[in-house]
Amino acid sequence: QRHQARRRHRRRQAGRSLPPRRARRPPAGHSQRGGRRQRPLHARGAQVCVSARQQAPLQAFVDAHPGSQALALDVTDAAAVAAAAQQLLASGPLELVGYCAGYYKAMRASGLDLPELLRHQQVNVVGALHVLAAVTPALLNAAKAGTHAPHITLVASVAGWSGLPQSLAYGPTKAALINLAEVLFLDLRPHGVGVSVVCPGFVDTPLTAQNQFRMPALLTPAQAANAMLRGWARGDFEMHFPKRFTVILKLLRVLPYRWYFALVHRLTGL
């Protein structure tokens, strides 16, 4: 019992205890995967706020989840993100802020499209910076006050672990999020703000629906959400799932480049 109490204390100190009273997820300014991942949080008693560009899906989420809140905004609009954060913070502190916005179009160097490359950067990376700039000072103040242990989660992807064919635009943005989360952990953890990064494999969303290949170990949004809840409960910094797929990719990362490139060409046929 004493050991379990110490474990619970460490998780609270890391800002990862569940369920949070107020959880803000700016999910998919450009996909609707985020709302489906908030359902388990709401079911556990969290006061959830979701955001995306389209108002109709947001309203449908609120209607189906009494007590939740929705804000329509585009994460690439810094002023809109700052205003949304101020509106939320005016009604109380935030305990969990998750960035789940995602934009994806398959691209290879032979078809390099600069506007699409920049669009990926704006949504997947710059949008995250907008959110961090808007909420990090308040989270630090809350941690300093000791009222609760706030937490930031960035949703990246296994595509950010190493270079993959057709991921010319998407992969580098997710690699940037992983690096960003690592630095945030080093900077914020000593001040009582928890940080984690999520690296899913393939999840059945409108983004992955455009893929023209068979996606191994495809998960439903509900399965991905439950994996994230388990990761938060354990106090994990990195959550990657499903393990039957992601462990293989982890092993590929440690290979010499010569072997890695040869294996990727062979496995993908590209």
Side-chain angles (χ1 to χ4, degrees):
Q1 289 179 341
R2 194 176 307 158
H3 176 66
Q4 291 176 343
R6 285 198 298 269
R7 288 177 59 193
R8 286 194 296 269
H9 175 72
R10 285 198 297 270
R11 288 172 184 170
R12 285 195 294 269
Q13 288 299 101
R16 297 178 183 132
S17 55
L18 288 176
R21 291 189 297 273
R22 299 190 74 226
R24 183 188 180 226
R25 300 291 300 275
H30 297 262
S31 80
Q32 295 311 312
R33 60 182 177 173
R36 285 177 284 183
R37 289 180 182 170
Q38 307 337 309
R39 292 169 187 165
L41 280 175
H42 181 270
R44 290 193 175 203
Q47 182 183 345
V48 175
C49 176
V50 295
S51 57
R53 290 187 305 168
Q54 294 82 21
Q55 180 64 50
L58 292 175
Q59 190 58 51
F61 180 88
V62 171
D63 293 342
H65 301 84
S68 61
Q69 188 178 355
L71 294 172
L73 78 151
D74 188 330
V75 293
T76 65
D77 185 336
V81 172
Q86 290 175 4
Q87 179 181 338
L88 285 171
L89 290 166
S91 61
L94 300 174
E95 294 194 25
L96 170 64
V97 177
Y99 191 76
C100 191
Y103 184 74
Y104 164 70
K105 295 288 183 183
M107 186 184 300
R108 303 196 70 186
S110 56
L112 193 148
D113 184 328
L114 181 58
E116 278 294 316
L117 285 168
L118 296 177
R119 185 62 175 164
H120 281 76
Q121 293 287 334
Q122 285 295 313
V123 176
N124 298 352
V125 180
V126 177
L129 300 180
H130 290 163
V131 171
L132 290 170
V135 303
T136 301
L139 299 184
L140 282 168
N141 288 337
K144 185 177 180 180
T147 55
H148 63 280
H151 192 96
I152 297 169
T153 292
L154 302 180
V155 178
S157 167
V158 295
W161 285 350
S162 52
L164 294 169
Q166 302 196 66
S167 193
L168 182 68
Y170 184 73
T173 66
K174 295 305 181 176
L177 285 183
I178 293 169
N179 189 284
L180 178 61
E182 292 170 349
V183 177
L184 287 171
F185 183 92
L186 293 171
D187 285 354
L188 297 179
R189 175 65 185 86
H191 298 284
V193 179
V195 178
S196 56
V197 64
V198 183
C199 295
F202 293 108
V203 181
D204 187 12
T205 70
L207 293 184
T208 57
Q210 63 187 291
N211 286 332
Q212 300 299 309
F213 55 87
R214 186 186 69 82
M215 293 174 281
L218 182 68
L219 296 181
T220 66
Q223 289 173 318
N226 287 328
M228 290 169 66
L229 286 174
R230 290 192 295 271
W232 282 321
R234 288 192 302 263
D236 294 347
F237 165 71
E238 182 190 48
M239 307 170 214
H240 60 91
F241 47 82
K243 293 294 192 297
R244 64 185 185 277
F245 176 62
T246 57
V247 167
I248 295 171
L249 295 181
K250 282 275 190 184
L251 292 174
L252 288 176
R253 293 177 69 196
V254 303
L255 294 176
Y257 276 124
R258 186 165 145 191
W259 296 0
Y260 172 77
F261 292 143
L263 271 174
V264 170
H265 280 309
R266 181 173 180 179
L267 292 173
T268 64
L270 299 173

